[in-house]
Amino acid sequence: MKLSDCLRQFQTDGLRRNPDGTPLGDVIPSKRTSQKERAIANHPSLKPQSFLRQIVYAALPLGEGVVIDPFMGSGSTVAAAEAMGICCIGIERNLEYYEMSRAAIPKLITLETPKQQIHDLQLTLW
């Protein structure tokens, strides 16, 4: 089965292109999780929103579908997906982390990321 067949039949396989039409690069630059994000959800493996928002965007090659995070932890992937307008389901068996995610997700969604600020600036200039 070819990539194009998977896209047609299952709407999956491959990565979504950047908004300007260029392919996603081989490396997604990322910095450490900011103190602002850590103050919202102090989870041991909290990923930065600027990184996760690029990942959830790229994960749906046609811009349709649902992202599933079976180890939700603080809810950072769910928040990133929601901030990008992408539906996401998170599953967490640890009650402490589940409660943390319930409080953290709405706050993480509202954070502006450096990539988002650049994208918003480009939209304003055009």
Side-chain angles (χ1 to χ4, degrees), residues 102-116:
R102 288 186 52 168
I105 290 170
K107 295 174 186 173
L108 291 170
I109 289 171
T110 64
L111 291 176
E112 265 200 33
T113 62
K115 183 104 174 160
Q116 182 180 357

PDB file of all heavy atoms in Angstrom, residues 102-116:
ATOM      1  N   ARG A 102      -6.764  18.194  34.759  1.00  0.00           N
ATOM      2  CA  ARG A 102      -8.052  18.921  34.747  1.00  0.00           C
ATOM      3  C   ARG A 102      -7.854  20.401  35.036  1.00  0.00           C
ATOM      4  O   ARG A 102      -8.534  21.248  34.458  1.00  0.00           O
ATOM      5  CB  ARG A 102      -9.015  18.312  35.759  1.00  0.00           C
ATOM      6  CG  ARG A 102      -9.524  16.958  35.314  1.00  0.00           C
ATOM      7  CD  ARG A 102     -10.559  16.439  36.241  1.00  0.00           C
ATOM      8  NE  ARG A 102     -11.602  17.476  36.416  1.00  0.00           N
ATOM      9  CZ  ARG A 102     -12.754  17.266  36.983  1.00  0.00           C
ATOM     10  NH1 ARG A 102     -13.053  16.093  37.440  1.00  0.00           N
ATOM     11  NH2 ARG A 102     -13.632  18.229  37.108  1.00  0.00           N
ATOM     12  N   ALA A 103      -6.931  20.710  35.923  1.00  0.00           N
ATOM     13  CA  ALA A 103      -6.660  22.115  36.253  1.00  0.00           C
ATOM     14  C   ALA A 103      -5.729  22.760  35.223  1.00  0.00           C
ATOM     15  O   ALA A 103      -5.862  23.943  34.901  1.00  0.00           O
ATOM     16  CB  ALA A 103      -6.036  22.207  37.642  1.00  0.00           C
ATOM     17  N   ALA A 104      -4.790  21.983  34.684  1.00  0.00           N
ATOM     18  CA  ALA A 104      -3.751  22.541  33.817  1.00  0.00           C
ATOM     19  C   ALA A 104      -4.204  22.778  32.375  1.00  0.00           C
ATOM     20  O   ALA A 104      -3.804  23.772  31.761  1.00  0.00           O
ATOM     21  CB  ALA A 104      -2.533  21.620  33.810  1.00  0.00           C
ATOM     22  N   ILE A 105      -5.010  21.904  31.824  1.00  0.00           N
ATOM     23  CA  ILE A 105      -5.367  21.991  30.404  1.00  0.00           C
ATOM     24  C   ILE A 105      -5.949  23.358  30.028  1.00  0.00           C
ATOM     25  O   ILE A 105      -5.461  23.989  29.088  1.00  0.00           O
ATOM     26  CB  ILE A 105      -6.291  20.826  29.979  1.00  0.00           C
ATOM     27  CG1 ILE A 105      -5.499  19.516  29.975  1.00  0.00           C
ATOM     28  CG2 ILE A 105      -6.912  21.082  28.602  1.00  0.00           C
ATOM     29  CD1 ILE A 105      -6.339  18.266  29.814  1.00  0.00           C
ATOM     30  N   PRO A 106      -6.950  23.867  30.725  1.00  0.00           N
ATOM     31  CA  PRO A 106      -7.498  25.180  30.328  1.00  0.00           C
ATOM     32  C   PRO A 106      -6.459  26.306  30.374  1.00  0.00           C
ATOM     33  O   PRO A 106      -6.483  27.216  29.553  1.00  0.00           O
ATOM     34  CB  PRO A 106      -8.618  25.434  31.340  1.00  0.00           C
ATOM     35  CG  PRO A 106      -8.922  24.123  31.955  1.00  0.00           C
ATOM     36  CD  PRO A 106      -7.691  23.299  31.852  1.00  0.00           C
ATOM     37  N   LYS A 107      -5.524  26.222  31.321  1.00  0.00           N
ATOM     38  CA  LYS A 107      -4.489  27.256  31.439  1.00  0.00           C
ATOM     39  C   LYS A 107      -3.432  27.110  30.351  1.00  0.00           C
ATOM     40  O   LYS A 107      -2.965  28.102  29.782  1.00  0.00           O
ATOM     41  CB  LYS A 107      -3.841  27.190  32.821  1.00  0.00           C
ATOM     42  CG  LYS A 107      -4.792  27.529  33.942  1.00  0.00           C
ATOM     43  CD  LYS A 107      -4.153  27.324  35.294  1.00  0.00           C
ATOM     44  CE  LYS A 107      -5.174  27.541  36.403  1.00  0.00           C
ATOM     45  NZ  LYS A 107      -4.632  27.198  37.708  1.00  0.00           N
ATOM     46  N   LEU A 108      -3.037  25.876  30.042  1.00  0.00           N
ATOM     47  CA  LEU A 108      -2.031  25.642  28.999  1.00  0.00           C
ATOM     48  C   LEU A 108      -2.555  26.045  27.619  1.00  0.00           C
ATOM     49  O   LEU A 108      -1.798  26.530  26.779  1.00  0.00           O
ATOM     50  CB  LEU A 108      -1.588  24.170  28.991  1.00  0.00           C
ATOM     51  CG  LEU A 108      -0.769  23.699  30.191  1.00  0.00           C
ATOM     52  CD1 LEU A 108      -0.607  22.184  30.167  1.00  0.00           C
ATOM     53  CD2 LEU A 108       0.591  24.390  30.216  1.00  0.00           C
ATOM     54  N   ILE A 109      -3.842  25.853  27.393  1.00  0.00           N
ATOM     55  CA  ILE A 109      -4.445  26.218  26.105  1.00  0.00           C
ATOM     56  C   ILE A 109      -4.262  27.701  25.814  1.00  0.00           C
ATOM     57  O   ILE A 109      -4.017  28.092  24.678  1.00  0.00           O
ATOM     58  CB  ILE A 109      -5.947  25.850  26.079  1.00  0.00           C
ATOM     59  CG1 ILE A 109      -6.131  24.342  26.025  1.00  0.00           C
ATOM     60  CG2 ILE A 109      -6.664  26.515  24.904  1.00  0.00           C
ATOM     61  CD1 ILE A 109      -7.568  23.892  26.216  1.00  0.00           C
ATOM     62  N   THR A 110      -4.349  28.529  26.845  1.00  0.00           N
ATOM     63  CA  THR A 110      -4.318  29.978  26.637  1.00  0.00           C
ATOM     64  C   THR A 110      -2.915  30.544  26.429  1.00  0.00           C
ATOM     65  O   THR A 110      -2.782  31.702  26.042  1.00  0.00           O
ATOM     66  CB  THR A 110      -4.956  30.717  27.827  1.00  0.00           C
ATOM     67  OG1 THR A 110      -4.177  30.477  29.001  1.00  0.00           O
ATOM     68  CG2 THR A 110      -6.392  30.260  28.047  1.00  0.00           C
ATOM     69  N   LEU A 111      -1.883  29.741  26.655  1.00  0.00           N
ATOM     70  CA  LEU A 111      -0.509  30.236  26.493  1.00  0.00           C
ATOM     71  C   LEU A 111      -0.197  30.532  25.030  1.00  0.00           C
ATOM     72  O   LEU A 111      -0.559  29.758  24.146  1.00  0.00           O
ATOM     73  CB  LEU A 111       0.505  29.203  27.002  1.00  0.00           C
ATOM     74  CG  LEU A 111       0.542  28.947  28.499  1.00  0.00           C
ATOM     75  CD1 LEU A 111       1.537  27.837  28.792  1.00  0.00           C
ATOM     76  CD2 LEU A 111       0.925  30.206  29.244  1.00  0.00           C
ATOM     77  N   GLU A 112       0.469  31.639  24.798  1.00  0.00           N
ATOM     78  CA  GLU A 112       0.984  31.917  23.455  1.00  0.00           C
ATOM     79  C   GLU A 112       2.370  31.345  23.365  1.00  0.00           C
ATOM     80  O   GLU A 112       3.168  31.485  24.276  1.00  0.00           O
ATOM     81  CB  GLU A 112       1.027  33.434  23.198  1.00  0.00           C
ATOM     82  CG  GLU A 112      -0.192  33.919  22.490  1.00  0.00           C
ATOM     83  CD  GLU A 112       0.026  35.252  21.806  1.00  0.00           C
ATOM     84  OE1 GLU A 112       1.137  35.538  21.336  1.00  0.00           O
ATOM     85  OE2 GLU A 112      -0.943  36.000  21.770  1.00  0.00           O
ATOM     86  N   THR A 113       2.663  30.685  22.259  1.00  0.00           N
ATOM     87  CA  THR A 113       3.985  30.098  22.057  1.00  0.00           C
ATOM     88  C   THR A 113       4.766  30.949  21.063  1.00  0.00           C
ATOM     89  O   THR A 113       4.163  31.652  20.244  1.00  0.00           O
ATOM     90  CB  THR A 113       3.861  28.660  21.523  1.00  0.00           C
ATOM     91  OG1 THR A 113       3.215  28.697  20.264  1.00  0.00           O
ATOM     92  CG2 THR A 113       3.071  27.781  22.478  1.00  0.00           C
ATOM     93  N   PRO A 114       6.099  30.892  21.100  1.00  0.00           N
ATOM     94  CA  PRO A 114       6.899  31.680  20.148  1.00  0.00           C
ATOM     95  C   PRO A 114       6.516  31.411  18.696  1.00  0.00           C
ATOM     96  O   PRO A 114       6.365  32.319  17.905  1.00  0.00           O
ATOM     97  CB  PRO A 114       8.330  31.223  20.430  1.00  0.00           C
ATOM     98  CG  PRO A 114       8.297  30.748  21.839  1.00  0.00           C
ATOM     99  CD  PRO A 114       6.917  30.185  22.051  1.00  0.00           C
ATOM    100  N   LYS A 115       6.298  30.156  18.328  1.00  0.00           N
ATOM    101  CA  LYS A 115       5.911  29.810  16.955  1.00  0.00           C
ATOM    102  C   LYS A 115       4.567  30.455  16.617  1.00  0.00           C
ATOM    103  O   LYS A 115       4.368  30.977  15.538  1.00  0.00           O
ATOM    104  CB  LYS A 115       5.827  28.289  16.822  1.00  0.00           C
ATOM    105  CG  LYS A 115       5.519  27.811  15.442  1.00  0.00           C
ATOM    106  CD  LYS A 115       6.752  27.283  14.799  1.00  0.00           C
ATOM    107  CE  LYS A 115       6.421  26.673  13.459  1.00  0.00           C
ATOM    108  NZ  LYS A 115       7.547  26.568  12.600  1.00  0.00           N
ATOM    109  N   GLN A 116       3.626  30.432  17.562  1.00  0.00           N
ATOM    110  CA  GLN A 116       2.305  31.024  17.353  1.00  0.00           C
ATOM    111  C   GLN A 116       2.419  32.528  17.170  1.00  0.00           C
ATOM    112  O   GLN A 116       1.759  33.104  16.319  1.00  0.00           O
ATOM    113  CB  GLN A 116       1.408  30.698  18.541  1.00  0.00           C
ATOM    114  CG  GLN A 116       0.006  31.220  18.422  1.00  0.00           C
ATOM    115  CD  GLN A 116      -0.828  30.864  19.641  1.00  0.00           C
ATOM    116  OE1 GLN A 116      -0.378  30.176  20.543  1.00  0.00           O
ATOM    117  NE2 GLN A 116      -2.044  31.353  19.668  1.00  0.00           N
TER     118      GLN A 116
END
